[in-house]
Amino acid sequence: MLRTGIVIDTRYQDHYTGRNHPERPGRIGALLSLVENYQRPGTKRFDPRLATPEEIALIHDPAHIGRVAATAEKDYFAFDADTPVSNQSYATALLATGGLLTVLEAIMTREVDNGFALVRPPGHHAERNRAMGFCLFNSAAIGAQFLREQFGLKRILVMDWDLHHGNGTQHSFYDDPGVLYVSTHQYPYYPGTGAAEEVGRGQGEGQTVNLPIPAGWGDTEYQELFQGVIEPVCRQFNPEFVLISAGFDAHTRDPLGGLEVTEEGFGIMARILLRVARDHAQGRCAAILEGGYDLDGLQKSVVHVLDEMGGETLTQALPQIEPRGLLPRVKAVQRQYWELPKE
Ligand SMILES: [Zn+2]
């Protein structure tokens, strides 16, 4: 049995986005009640620490950090139409990134084997110098950089299965061979980036892997792509740590997306990534919550991922699927850089 660290905190509800915003405090409320009732032995709850401004600056410009910090003096501010903030948003964003760093420290010091930071606001759209798409600071990107600077790791995998493309994370490491960024995302869709041909540049060419997915696809299509493209690419990269930007807005009941992944599907994706972590990264795997706006779908999906993190299902066979040869253009692009199984 594996030990799993969980970070969640009532203070993640303090970032107020206004009435009717999908990225709302109640998401954390739903997950707090889930965690209080989640009984699997081997789980350990951690209180998050605040990230320091220096840690935020691992990815973001000081001017951007200053602009977000300045919103603490305002009753209300909006970075764009999607990204309103309140006077507690800066502190909550520091706690969100700090929540992931808390999980990473617990894994690296072997207090736990893996972990899940259940935090908000999300982060993967945040660019070096810009808040956007509900995101203020890019916690996953900061976490990847933190693992390299603080613990000397050389190869970090960031798998982003949120419905949306993680433009901010992609751009943070676009010419950097030390981070493999892999994203599945509905396409074309917000934020517009994430075409198959976006593969990185310079030293990082080939280390960005985009799988743009049409509306309507679900568990079997995802499993085929994970087994046929994502798993072989990740194993060849040989990561020392597996970070998951875990959004659940690809869930079939999510109000923002057009994809049809179920909670069981997210569990299968987690199992495949946990196997990669087991075989290449000493089991080290951390997930951070990104999107996911149907509260019931969010809760059930998080339970499936936490169950997989317990390790007892790792050796169970995956569901039998009939491969359909999906995304041949993506595979043709990726074959320039990686060995993929023949079809
Ligand atoms: Zn999303």
Side-chain angles (χ1 to χ4, degrees):
M1 188 184 63
L2 300 177
R3 300 161 302 163
T4 299
I6 300 174
V7 162
I8 191 164
D9 194 289
T10 55
R11 289 172 289 172
Y12 291 127
Q13 300 171 109
D14 293 347
H15 162 56
Y16 181 63
T17 45
R19 288 178 64 195
N20 303 321
H21 197 291
E23 205 293 280
R24 59 204 188 276
R27 299 175 66 228
I28 292 297
L31 293 173
L32 276 164
S33 57
L34 177 165
V35 168
E36 270 148 31
N37 293 305
Y38 189 74
Q39 299 287 359
R40 173 164 71 73
T43 56
K44 182 171 179 185
R45 183 133 162 219
F46 292 85
D47 291 327
R49 67 173 177 86
L50 290 166
T52 65
E54 293 73 28
E55 287 165 342
I56 302 295
L58 289 170
I59 291 295
H60 293 287
D61 274 352
H64 170 69
I65 300 170
R67 281 192 294 274
V68 179
T71 66
E73 312 297 325
K74 297 172 183 170
D75 291 334
Y76 172 83
F77 182 77
F79 285 98
D80 61 28
D82 297 323
T83 318
V85 295
S86 61
N87 60 2
Q88 293 299 310
S89 298
Y90 172 58
T92 312
L94 292 179
L95 199 66
T97 302
L100 176 61
L101 301 185
T102 300
V103 167
L104 299 183
E105 287 163 340
I107 294 170
M108 292 307 295
T109 58
R110 292 267 163 221
E111 249 188 287
V112 292
D113 299 295
N114 53 43
F116 205 150
L118 296 166
V119 304
R120 63 182 284 276
H124 72 152
H125 295 307
E127 297 276 2
R128 187 165 293 277
N129 57 10
R130 187 180 167 201
M132 60 180 275
F134 315 168
C135 301
L136 305 179
F137 298 138
N138 195 320
S139 299
I142 293 164
Q145 196 63 12
F146 176 79
L147 287 169
R148 301 160 85 192
E149 304 239 342
Q150 195 69 26
F151 295 100
L153 300 189
K154 299 277 185 275
R155 293 180 310 282
I156 313 293
L157 163 64
V158 181
M159 174 70 222
D160 186 336
W161 73 42
D162 188 274
L163 170 83
H164 303 95
H165 182 244
N167 55 291
T169 315
Q170 170 168 304
H171 293 151
S172 295
F173 305 110
Y174 208 54
D175 55 9
D176 184 338
V179 175
L180 175 68
Y181 178 68
V182 182
S183 178
T184 51
H185 45 273
Q186 186 173 337
Y187 189 88
Y189 207 54
Y190 183 89
T193 49
E197 291 74 17
E198 296 170 23
V199 295
R201 70 166 168 246
Q203 297 276 313
E205 188 179 341
Q207 312 282 41
T208 293
V209 177
N210 280 306
L211 293 99
I213 291 179
W217 286 16
D219 292 357
T220 51
E221 290 87 0
Y222 268 76
Q223 188 184 327
E224 179 175 338
L225 295 175
F226 265 71
Q227 290 185 278
V229 181
I230 295 169
E231 182 177 2
V233 168
C234 291
R235 287 186 182 278
Q236 285 161 69
F237 178 69
N238 191 23
E240 294 172 287
F241 202 106
V242 176
L243 259 176
I244 307 173
S245 253
F248 297 98
D249 35 10
H251 191 279
T252 185
R253 286 196 304 280
D254 193 273
L256 264 57
L259 295 173
E260 296 182 6
V261 179
T262 69
E263 46 269 26
E264 287 83 8
F266 285 113
I268 295 301
M269 286 147 62
R271 186 182 304 172
I272 291 169
L273 294 170
L274 285 157
R275 287 175 177 178
V276 171
R278 175 195 64 193
D279 297 342
H280 296 270
Q282 302 172 39
R284 296 184 293 220
C285 177
I288 180 166
L289 181 64
E290 301 280 0
Y293 306 102
D294 176 79
L295 297 188
D296 182 60
L298 174 63
Q299 285 177 313
K300 289 184 170 135
S301 301
V302 168
V303 166
H304 276 262
V305 173
L306 288 173
D307 285 349
E308 293 290 337
M309 285 179 156
E312 299 198 335
T313 49
L314 268 191
T315 52
Q316 276 181 18
L318 301 175
Q320 284 290 330
I321 58 166
E322 203 62 53
R324 291 162 50 197
L326 300 170
L327 300 187
R329 205 182 75 176
V330 169
K331 287 176 193 151
V333 170
Q334 293 306 327
R335 282 202 166 92
Q336 299 174 81
Y337 308 104
W338 309 97
E339 294 271 340
L340 300 186
K342 297 213 165 44
E343 305 198 306

Coordinates of all heavy atoms in Angstrom, one line a residue, residues 9 31 34 69 77 80 85-86 101 106 112 127 134-135 141 181 183 195 212 241 264 277 289 306 318 327 329-330:
D9 N -7.7 23.0 2.5 CA -7.8 23.9 3.6 C -9.1 24.8 3.4 O -9.4 25.1 2.2 CB -6.6 24.8 3.6 CG -6.4 25.6 4.9 OD1 -7.2 26.6 5.1 OD2 -5.5 25.3 5.7
L31 N -15.0 19.3 -1.8 CA -13.8 18.4 -1.6 C -13.5 18.3 -0.1 O -13.0 17.3 0.3 CB -12.7 18.9 -2.4 CG -12.9 18.8 -3.9 CD1 -11.8 19.5 -4.7 CD2 -13.0 17.4 -4.4
L34 N -15.6 15.6 1.2 CA -15.1 14.3 0.6 C -13.9 13.9 1.5 O -13.9 12.7 1.9 CB -14.7 14.5 -0.8 CG -14.0 13.4 -1.6 CD1 -14.1 13.8 -3.1 CD2 -12.6 13.1 -1.2
A69 N -0.5 41.1 -6.2 CA -0.4 41.5 -4.8 C -1.2 42.7 -4.6 O -1.8 42.9 -3.5 CB 1.1 41.7 -4.4
F77 N -11.5 43.3 -8.5 CA -10.7 43.7 -9.6 C -10.9 42.5 -10.6 O -11.2 41.4 -10.2 CB -9.2 43.8 -9.3 CG -8.3 44.2 -10.4 CD1 -8.3 45.5 -10.9 CD2 -7.5 43.2 -11.1 CE1 -7.5 45.8 -12.0 CE2 -6.7 43.6 -12.1 CZ -6.7 44.9 -12.6
D80 N -9.3 39.8 -16.5 CA -10.0 39.8 -17.7 C -11.4 39.4 -17.4 O -11.8 39.2 -16.3 CB -9.3 38.9 -18.8 CG -9.2 37.4 -18.4 OD1 -10.1 37.0 -17.6 OD2 -8.3 36.8 -18.8
V85 N -11.1 38.9 -9.2 CA -10.5 38.6 -7.9 C -11.1 39.5 -6.8 O -11.7 40.5 -7.1 CB -8.9 38.8 -7.9 CG1 -8.3 37.8 -8.9 CG2 -8.6 40.2 -8.3
S86 N -10.8 39.0 -5.6 CA -11.3 39.8 -4.4 C -10.0 40.1 -3.6 O -8.9 39.7 -3.9 CB -12.3 39.0 -3.6 OG -11.7 37.8 -3.2
L101 N 3.6 22.9 -3.1 CA 4.9 22.7 -2.6 C 5.0 21.9 -1.3 O 5.9 21.1 -1.1 CB 5.5 24.1 -2.4 CG 5.6 25.1 -3.6 CD1 6.3 26.4 -3.3 CD2 6.2 24.4 -4.8
A106 N 6.7 16.8 1.0 CA 6.4 15.6 1.8 C 6.8 14.4 1.0 O 7.2 13.3 1.5 CB 4.9 15.6 2.1
V112 N 5.5 10.7 2.5 CA 4.5 10.0 1.8 C 5.1 9.6 0.4 O 6.2 10.1 0.0 CB 3.2 10.9 1.5 CG1 2.5 11.2 2.9 CG2 3.6 12.2 0.8
E127 N 0.3 32.9 -17.3 CA 1.5 33.1 -18.1 C 2.6 33.8 -17.2 O 2.2 34.4 -16.1 CB 1.3 33.9 -19.3 CG 0.4 33.3 -20.3 CD 1.1 32.3 -21.3 OE1 2.3 32.1 -21.1 OE2 0.4 31.8 -22.2
F134 N -9.2 32.2 -15.1 CA -9.4 31.8 -13.7 C -8.0 31.7 -13.0 O -8.1 31.3 -11.8 CB -10.2 30.5 -13.5 CG -11.4 30.3 -14.3 CD1 -12.0 29.1 -14.4 CD2 -12.0 31.4 -15.1 CE1 -13.2 28.8 -15.1 CE2 -13.2 31.1 -15.8 CZ -13.8 29.9 -15.8
C135 N -6.9 31.8 -13.6 CA -5.6 31.5 -13.0 C -4.8 32.7 -12.7 O -4.6 33.6 -13.6 CB -4.8 30.6 -14.0 SG -5.7 29.0 -14.4
A141 N 3.7 24.8 -12.9 CA 5.0 25.2 -13.4 C 5.9 25.5 -12.3 O 7.1 25.2 -12.4 CB 4.8 26.3 -14.4
Y181 N 6.2 18.5 -21.2 CA 4.8 18.9 -21.0 C 3.9 18.1 -22.0 O 4.1 18.2 -23.2 CB 4.6 20.4 -21.2 CG 3.2 20.8 -21.1 CD1 2.6 20.8 -19.8 CD2 2.4 21.2 -22.2 CE1 1.3 21.2 -19.7 CE2 1.1 21.6 -22.0 CZ 0.5 21.6 -20.8 OH -0.8 22.0 -20.6
S183 N -0.2 17.4 -22.9 CA -1.6 17.9 -22.6 C -2.6 17.2 -23.5 O -2.4 17.1 -24.7 CB -1.6 19.4 -22.9 OG -3.0 19.8 -22.7
A195 N -2.2 23.1 -30.5 CA -2.2 22.3 -31.7 C -1.2 21.3 -31.7 O -0.1 21.4 -31.0 CB -2.0 23.3 -32.9
P212 N -4.7 17.3 -29.2 CA -6.0 18.1 -29.3 C -7.1 17.1 -29.6 O -7.0 16.2 -30.5 CB -5.7 19.0 -30.5 CG -4.6 18.4 -31.2 CD -3.8 17.5 -30.3
F241 N 10.1 12.7 -11.7 CA 8.9 13.1 -10.9 C 7.8 13.2 -11.9 O 8.0 13.8 -13.0 CB 9.2 14.4 -10.2 CG 8.3 14.6 -9.0 CD1 8.8 14.4 -7.7 CD2 6.9 14.9 -9.2 CE1 7.9 14.6 -6.6 CE2 6.1 15.0 -8.1 CZ 6.6 14.9 -6.8
E264 N -14.4 6.9 -13.7 CA -13.6 5.7 -13.9 C -12.5 5.9 -14.9 O -11.3 5.5 -14.8 CB -14.4 4.5 -14.4 CG -15.3 3.9 -13.4 CD -16.7 4.6 -13.2 OE1 -16.9 5.5 -14.0 OE2 -17.4 4.3 -12.3
A277 N 5.4 6.5 -12.9 CA 6.1 7.0 -11.7 C 6.7 5.8 -11.0 O 7.9 5.9 -10.6 CB 5.1 7.7 -10.8
L289 N -5.1 20.1 -8.3 CA -6.4 20.4 -8.9 C -6.3 21.6 -9.8 O -5.8 22.7 -9.4 CB -7.4 20.7 -7.8 CG -8.8 20.9 -8.3 CD1 -9.4 19.7 -9.0 CD2 -9.7 21.3 -7.1
L306 N -7.6 9.3 -5.9 CA -7.0 9.0 -4.6 C -6.9 7.5 -4.4 O -6.0 6.9 -3.8 CB -7.8 9.6 -3.5 CG -7.7 11.2 -3.4 CD1 -8.7 11.7 -2.3 CD2 -6.3 11.6 -3.0
L318 N -6.0 -3.1 -17.4 CA -6.8 -2.0 -17.8 C -8.0 -2.6 -18.6 O -8.0 -3.7 -19.1 CB -6.0 -1.1 -18.8 CG -4.8 -0.5 -18.2 CD1 -4.0 0.3 -19.2 CD2 -5.1 0.4 -17.0
L327 N -6.1 9.9 -34.0 CA -5.2 11.0 -34.1 C -3.9 10.7 -34.9 O -2.8 10.8 -34.4 CB -4.8 11.6 -32.7 CG -5.9 12.1 -31.8 CD1 -5.3 12.7 -30.6 CD2 -6.7 13.1 -32.6
R329 N -2.5 12.2 -37.3 CA -1.6 13.4 -37.5 C -0.8 13.7 -36.3 O 0.4 14.0 -36.4 CB -2.5 14.6 -37.9 CG -1.8 15.6 -38.7 CD -2.7 16.8 -39.0 NE -2.8 17.7 -37.8 CZ -3.5 18.8 -37.8 NH1 -4.0 19.2 -38.9 NH2 -3.5 19.5 -36.7
V330 N -1.4 13.6 -35.1 CA -0.6 13.8 -33.9 C 0.5 12.7 -33.8 O 1.7 13.1 -33.5 CB -1.5 13.6 -32.7 CG1 -0.7 13.6 -31.4 CG2 -2.5 14.8 -32.6

